[in-house]
Amino acid sequence: MEQKVEPKAITLSKEDFGSDQMVKWCPGCGDHAILRSVENVFPKVGEQLGYSKEDFVVVSGIGCSSRFPYYMNTYGIHGIHGRPAPLAMGIKLANPKLSVWLISGDGDSMAIGGNHFIHIARRNPDINYLMFNNKIYGLTKGQYSPTTPKGQKTKTSPQGSFEMPFNPGELVIGARGKFFARALDSNPKLMQEVFLAAALHHGASIVEILQNCVIFNNKIHALITNKETKDDNQIVLEAGKPMLFGKEKEKGLKLEGTKLKVVTLGKDGVTLDDILVHDPTTDDAGIHMMLASMAPPEFPAAFGVIRSVESETLEDAVWNSVEHEKATSPIKNMDDLMNSGNTWEIE
Amino acid sequence: MEQKVEPKAITLSKEDFGSDQMVKWCPGCGDHAILRSVENVFPKVGEQLGYSKEDFVVVSGIGCSSRFPYYMNTYGIHGIHGRPAPLAMGIKLANPKLSVWLISGDGDSMAIGGNHFIHIARRNPDINYLMFNNKIYGLTKGQYSPTTPKGQKTKTSPQGSFEMPFNPGELVIGARGKFFARALDSNPKLMQEVFLAAALHHGASIVEILQNCVIFNNKIHALITNKETKDDNQIVLEAGKPMLFGKEKEKGLKLEGTKLKVVTLGKDGVTLDDILVHDPTTDDAGIHMMLASMAPPEFPAAFGVIRSVESETLEDAVWNSVEHEKATSPIKNMDDLMNSGNTWEIE
Amino acid sequence: MKKDKVVEIEEAVVRFAGDSGDGMQLTGSLFSDSTAFAGNDFATFPDFPSEIRAPQGTVSGVSGFQIHFGHKSIYTTGDLADVLVAMNPASLIANLKWVKNDAILIVNSDEFTDKNLEKAGYLTNPLDDETLSGHLVVQVPLNTLTYEAVKELDLDNKSVMKSKNMFALGIIFYLFNRDYTKTYSFFENKFKKNPLVVEANKKVLQAGYNFAETLEVIKNTFRIEKAELEKGRYRNVTGNQATAWGLMAAAERSGRNLFLGSYPITPATDILQELAKHKQFTCITQQAEDEIAGIVSTIGASYAGSMAVTTTSGPGLSLKSEAIGLAVMTELPMVIVDVQRGGPSTGLPTKSEQSDLMQALYGRNGDAPVIVIAATSATDAFYSAYEAAKLAMEHMTPVILLTDGSIGNGSEVFKIIKTADLPPINPPIAKANDPEYKPYKRNPQTLARQWAIPGTPGLRHRLGGLEKEDITGNVSHDPLNHEKMMQLRQEKVDKVADFIPELKIDGNEGADLLVVGWGSTYGVLMTTVEEMQNEGKSVSMVQFKHIMPLPKNVREVFSKFKKIVVCENNMGQFVNYLRMQLPEFRYEQYNKVQGLPFMVSELKQKFESLLNE
Amino acid sequence: MKKDKVVEIEEAVVRFAGDSGDGMQLTGSLFSDSTAFAGNDFATFPDFPSEIRAPQGTVSGVSGFQIHFGHKSIYTTGDLADVLVAMNPASLIANLKWVKNDAILIVNSDEFTDKNLEKAGYLTNPLDDETLSGHLVVQVPLNTLTYEAVKELDLDNKSVMKSKNMFALGIIFYLFNRDYTKTYSFFENKFKKNPLVVEANKKVLQAGYNFAETLEVIKNTFRIEKAELEKGRYRNVTGNQATAWGLMAAAERSGRNLFLGSYPITPATDILQELAKHKQFTCITQQAEDEIAGIVSTIGASYAGSMAVTTTSGPGLSLKSEAIGLAVMTELPMVIVDVQRGGPSTGLPTKSEQSDLMQALYGRNGDAPVIVIAATSATDAFYSAYEAAKLAMEHMTPVILLTDGSIGNGSEVFKIIKTADLPPINPPIAKANDPEYKPYKRNPQTLARQWAIPGTPGLRHRLGGLEKEDITGNVSHDPLNHEKMMQLRQEKVDKVADFIPELKIDGNEGADLLVVGWGSTYGVLMTTVEEMQNEGKSVSMVQFKHIMPLPKNVREVFSKFKKIVVCENNMGQFVNYLRMQLPEFRYEQYNKVQGLPFMVSELKQKFESLLNE
Ligand SMILES: Cc1ncc(C[n+]2csc(CCOP(=O)(O)OP(=O)(O)O)c2C)c(N)n1
Ligand SMILES: Cc1ncc(C[n+]2csc(CCOP(=O)(O)OP(=O)(O)O)c2C)c(N)n1
Ligand code: SF4
Ligand code: SF4
Ligand SMILES: [Mg+2]
Ligand SMILES: [Mg+2]
């Protein structure tokens, strides 16, 4: 069964999704910018995939980020902590014609919700999963999360955290996820491109958004976002393009032995031909894993769509089977079923 | 704090660990062979690391495999379904001087226990985690598990499973695990080598054991284990050795572009120099990911220690901090604490 | 030597026991089928270990199957067996306590070797000493005779031994005058791909039958008249199957797709397995990664407009607690089936118990009322599941349906009905663009809010676990609103009492003793009470199926009796619940927590002593 | 103009209210410290939204802190405030219902702009109309005066505005004749790295104090005599801190390391945060990936010999249900702290409620009894936590300790004790190579089994969630063993009644009304009952701290009263529990489920109407 049988001709605007509820995030929180980007993307998604405004469902767990559904005028559920993935999956399986968006935080997705996170990646329902990574528990006021760097002092790690953090991209790929992208709360253009790419990808599209929590983890992404260092510490990957970065796009990525290396064009005889060309569509996880892993200072952090591999969605597999069984089963209803097999008559 | 301050001189034998309880697995179940291998390895572990027989603790979840602790004469807990990892971690954190072994199944570890599985990999306590992968739920009589191949018919997937399975090795690496090895219930020598390597690795050592469930998933690993195909479908990786396999070790693995490729020595000009040399110790996850992913028919499945990277263990980090605080804190006991800070006297 | 003597009897209990690998469950169910064809009423009770195939020949590996069948209506699976089939010493030693004093014991003498006797824990061979005196012991060299029967077929050893259960079945068929050829079609179906095995099974079955005919020790055979059942078409169902079917019937009648999010757990897995087979009814089953994902996906599917269900057993219900709270707060319909088993913790996973009642009522944070109903038998599971789904959807609330291992695995005769004859189900679905729609506006009769389904124009709204403002459903921290919503949620559930049947007294009002039960104890309480009534004892009974809310007339019913005894398979959960709900009455209690059903005999003794107090 | 007039008063209630960013919690706690130094007794009540910084100027962003202090013992946080500080219109509108009729209102007039008034929902300026009549309104242009105070310092705008709460605090200090210089050391500590900020805060605080002195509207100041507290050293503790300290004291006294496995959740997180600070006591805290891992690692640590603890709030307790069953079955000691909050589901996460009682008692599969105790105040949390740990270890069982948001976040004066004076804790640790050791052999007094710790020679054994055989602890499916073990587990908990204090009646035996409460309602019930007793009313009370088991003399106590009313902040869970446990009494009930504590006034009204019935 295809996701949308007949795309409707639909015109939507940002205003179709604006809510009348007060947005209660802290002033300066990165969540505000993400909300605006989502409001801007939904009309495009609706128009390009044929969803009317009532077809959007926004689902979340618990956390600052998870208050999101209240701030949009769509169908929505604010669930319980860590469980947005099965909530979204239940909705999508029950009605594949809906455009399902999942909003979650790093704690919601990877601490209490870690199991559902890896399972949604593996099962590949067509859900757009936006994970706000501020590397902290915001709503509960500043405890370390599974993405907090080792050694960082937080309210629950007064001696510095003892734990190696997850890298969400690595986790998604390790769980055999087919789509992973990374965006930044301070770059709305990139966010919108990535969100749209996620929507257009038919399958579970997991997007990590580096988000700043001004209150409890301010400037945690500073190394990546600082004006001075950002050109050297960010690379935006584009399909089919060489992996170049730096102020003048003078640096690039090369595979040396089994490892990535940062090289400079023109130095040590490096030419454009040495630079890797980005292919998000290969099912081979190794290279995507390396790209997702990259982090300053050794490497730039990768942004944009890192991995986007086509694969049957869960709901297509399930609903195709429904159609098949409907067409082939001789048992059409409960009366048939009850009378099938061994029965006997008492007179 | 080091795991063992003073290694004791210890002599142990297999008999030290044999239990008087009846082993209740089905005749022919792969679990029997694994039990025997573990009984054989414990004396070596004790001797090499200075554990006496009372220092071994065997922990499990729920499943056929998880009955394991009852079948050994050690301290042990049979926990609840999916939760062996936190159970083991609690034990190890409370007393780092114990040798903690965790036994679990594919469902226990990657269905209900998936979250704890990835978190134990990330946190890296020194625990030896043996995961029996029979790609089915044995104890509940034959439902598909997160490792059951897509399309396989089981009791809960009468039309064939709709879900892409996990590959445990990929998941461990995606979760930033530092040790992953693979063994086979029908190869006791390899099992014992791998179990010992796991024990000697200081950190969370996760071992996948391909295990045959004769009753509900018989021959699920046949492509790998069949006499006729096994030389072409298995490669045993050894540190520092070229990655060769085949009956005559005539085939090898090579990196071509960003992907692995199977080549034949002497064909198309391939020489031993083209063959990748195995380095389990590199922290770079990309290549280990590729190796863990390999599966017949395109590739041989990798066995042995695929990844083994040194990294601080959780309990070392925690207990070092305890020692440090003990040494430096002016507050030595509860009386000090109660009298610290703002207090006042009423006369 | 054909026996001429056929003894007419009213009822009988047969117990099959053997190694886990001996196919006793299959043997039992084939005998059930034949019992059905013979027109008897029956109920069955499988009793198997939690290991799959514990070591052959040991007591831990023994798997049993009991069937109680008769000419009258059968409500219990039988206290003790009239006939025991014991495939080896271990099954004999493990089951001897479950047979009557003068039972017929059919034992496979080939297996009574020294090694097997030792494995079973026999110091001497019970076939040679006084152990079995009083019983009619039929020693059959089953292995030898089975070989004999198929020796001309080109069959491997293992396959031959696998069919020896059919030899035993043949003997029992003979004993109860059954037509063994009816079972042939089963072989033809099951071993479609292996005609040799079909042939072997037929031969062995027939050989068993014929062998019995020649046996001297068997002096006569038995016949049980067709049961006096209502006219109609019948079939055999297990409680788990009936539960699945009740749910599917409710989906069909309500016009909703069925969604099941579930994680396998004994003894509930069968429901998932049954529903998974019926994709043609748009029955979507999702085997979740755990119980939490199971119920949370169910909440999602319910929000999206499906008739949503999750199934589990005790430990799984524990895991679902938090999410049940979310379902209560969002007021979304769903059925949560708990097939109870022996607790606490992993407990006795393959045994039955009624010990999740308190958990079902109160096992979650905050005051979070839900409807709780309990099925009273395997066939009633069909109607209970249907009613659970109807109440959930019409009252927009989660409903917990309690069954248990004895219901789920047990089987009974089920009268086939027409789906159209079931009561209609009318969920309060909100209409597109209804200008009056408000997420938490309620129907005054039921206090149910409306079900506004994503995709519907004009009804966009947001739900969630934070306290909701009355009518609008906006998040609200207002103190008085909170108190009001607490009351509304409770009242909504209380009002369900207007929509469920009143309690029915079996027996006289004002009898000296009122026996109270709930759920699966119905059959055995009923049988006991009827027997005692026939003996002239002043005993009546009521069986509760509706637990939260209780039927409206409970107070009235209880006030007619001076002595009330509440019987249940737990430490006293329902009696305590009654003490809370109806504190004005005094309750005696009788509890059995052995992972086993009550026996008529022990109940009788208890009731008699209460009557004599 | 120095006021000469100092009015002596008995007690006062001050409430600070402002935007979430205005630092009201800090202001409140500095005032508490000063109150402590002044030698008064006090209790505090923070009241904040579940958002971190909801939009400035809106009612949803208002954060409040109330302190009740006095010369006599203070048991409540105060019904209504004598003095309200309102930093903006939203805090005024949100808090006006919590002040007395003739309160002093200190308002930041700079914030009463049209825009802010609108945001708060004021149509007209309350400072200009009759809204505040009856109150003594002190308008202070706080922003302006704060700027003024630090204008010579080189400080950015934001830092200046951040210190305006200190101006308000200065005013209150003046009002209550406090020595503001005592607070300087706090600034010096907190802003160690930023001397400029220290300087600014000092200046602003002083400016506020001085400004108040010049104010005409303030006709007099107040003085409250030192409280008549027992001689000794005192400090200020919150309930969560006291809980953590009680646990650490128990670890110290029992000679065990403390292990905490926990997942953050409001309002319980502070306990984790407090324990995390004390690694020097070998206090190992593991922030788990979820609540399940939290408790399961606790079970592991307990098995390995630690004094093991897990802390959470309602939804987290739901998630722990299954594992609590495992702890019951393995009979391992541990303390499970539930800091209750408003439910069901996510409910009212920052409000307090007593609605997890049933969950604590029964929220798991099977019959799985545990000890349940409830702390009665912030300081009592210390002793309750200590006792919980003692009972857990000495009786080898999980203990659920119930506190709630009001206890956890509230603070009180705590008399510092010597750890050595606490009752000793003697866990039944099995001795190496004890030939008598059997995993499930029990101490006849307590029925506790022994604690055999991995690493100890000669005691290897295996535990688990399957039913265990009596004495040996081997897995057992035996029906009678199961029933016996069910009884033993219950009896073990019942026997704890021999080790806990009896219930104490406050007031006369045989008074016309017995007021019954449990847990955190102690202070307010006590205050109400004492007031009524002073008025000559025939009212007595008992407060339950031990819930499972109940104190031994409950029956005796209850039988002395004709009318019993059970008061609690839920829909009636404890009263229902009493109906189960002591069905022979009749209970009235009074429930408040608003996320707010009872007020003395409303309790009085209820009790009087019950007396007059
Ligand atoms: C079952 C449960 N456990 C714990 C909590 C408390 N809690 C709420 S949000 C949260 C973590 C929030 O962090 P994150 O997911 O990163 O979201 P953020 O607030 O940073 O956006 C926690 C621990 C809860 N609400 N429910
Ligand atoms: C909370 C809970 N859910 C479900 C179960 C039922 N259950 C027991 S073992 C098991 C799966 C076993 O599969 P696996 O972990 O692969 O182990 P195997 O039996 O194959 O060794 C399940 C679903 C349970 N015991 N507890
Ligand atoms: S606490 Fe942090 S994440 Fe939460 S709303 Fe405020 S700034 Fe954003
Ligand atoms: S069911 Fe399968 S996994 Fe379980 S014991 Fe039997 S063969 Fe082994
Ligand atoms: Mg976060
Ligand atoms: Mg398995």
Side-chain angles (χ1 to χ4, degrees), chain A residues 2-12 41-53 55-56 92 96-101 126-128 194-203 205 310 315:
Chain A
E2 271 310 291
Q3 172 196 20
K4 285 264 119 183
V5 185
E6 284 186 51
K8 324 169 201 163
I10 284 196
T11 358
L12 292 168
V41 165
F42 273 21
K44 291 181 205 155
V45 173
E47 288 169 13
Q48 295 191 29
L49 292 172
Y51 291 115
S52 51
K53 59 181 186 282
D55 295 335
F56 287 85
K92 187 72 184 177
K97 295 202 181 107
L98 300 169
S99 178
V100 180
W101 293 73
D126 186 14
I127 282 167
N128 308 302
V194 162
F195 296 170
L196 190 59
L200 296 178
H201 174 77
H202 192 51
S205 314
E310 279 302 316
E315 68 278 9

Side-chain angles (χ1 to χ4, degrees), chain D residues 151-168:
Chain D
K151 66 173 175 242
E152 71 268 32
L153 298 179
D154 182 23
L155 218 61
D156 63 298
N157 217 334
K158 220 170 130 189
S159 303
V160 176
M161 277 302 94
K162 268 196 162 171
S163 64
K164 72 182 174 196
N165 53 343
M166 291 303 119
F167 200 99

Side-chain angles (χ1 to χ4, degrees), chain C residues 50-154:
Chain C
S50 71
E51 287 85 11
I52 306 305
R53 300 265 188 285
Q56 253 191 328
T58 66
V59 168
S60 10
V62 174
S63 175
F65 185 101
Q66 181 160 312
I67 175 166
H68 181 194
F69 53 109
H71 159 61
K72 295 244 178 75
S73 285
I74 294 295
Y75 296 112
T76 79
T77 54
D79 280 14
L80 300 173
D82 299 288
V83 179
L84 170 70
V85 172
M87 301 294 283
N88 64 6
S91 24
L92 185 65
I93 206 168
N95 285 283
L96 212 50
K97 55 179 170 297
W98 306 124
V99 303
K100 293 195 183 145
N101 286 335
D102 55 353
I104 302 177
L105 311 181
I106 308 210
V107 296
N108 177 3
S109 54
D110 279 344
E111 293 285 336
F112 281 66
T113 60
D114 287 353
K115 204 175 125 209
N116 283 349
L117 288 165
E118 195 196 318
K119 272 202 224 169
Y122 274 120
L123 303 176
T124 58
N125 190 337
L127 303 182
D128 299 342
D129 61 21
E130 295 301 289
T131 314
L132 307 179
S133 67
H135 299 300
L136 175 69
V137 184
V138 185
Q139 297 193 26
V140 186
L142 263 173
N143 303 7
T144 318
L145 295 173
T146 302
Y147 269 113
E148 200 60 31
V150 294
K151 65 173 178 244
E152 71 268 31
L153 297 179
D154 182 24

Side-chain angles (χ1 to χ4, degrees), chain B residues 25-26 29-31 64 134 138-139 211-216, chain C residues 52:
Chain B
W25 290 309
C26 305
C29 175
D31 293 356
C64 290
N134 55 15
L139 192 67
Q211 174 244 329
N212 193 42
C213 168
V214 279
I215 306 291
F216 298 113
Chain C
I52 306 305

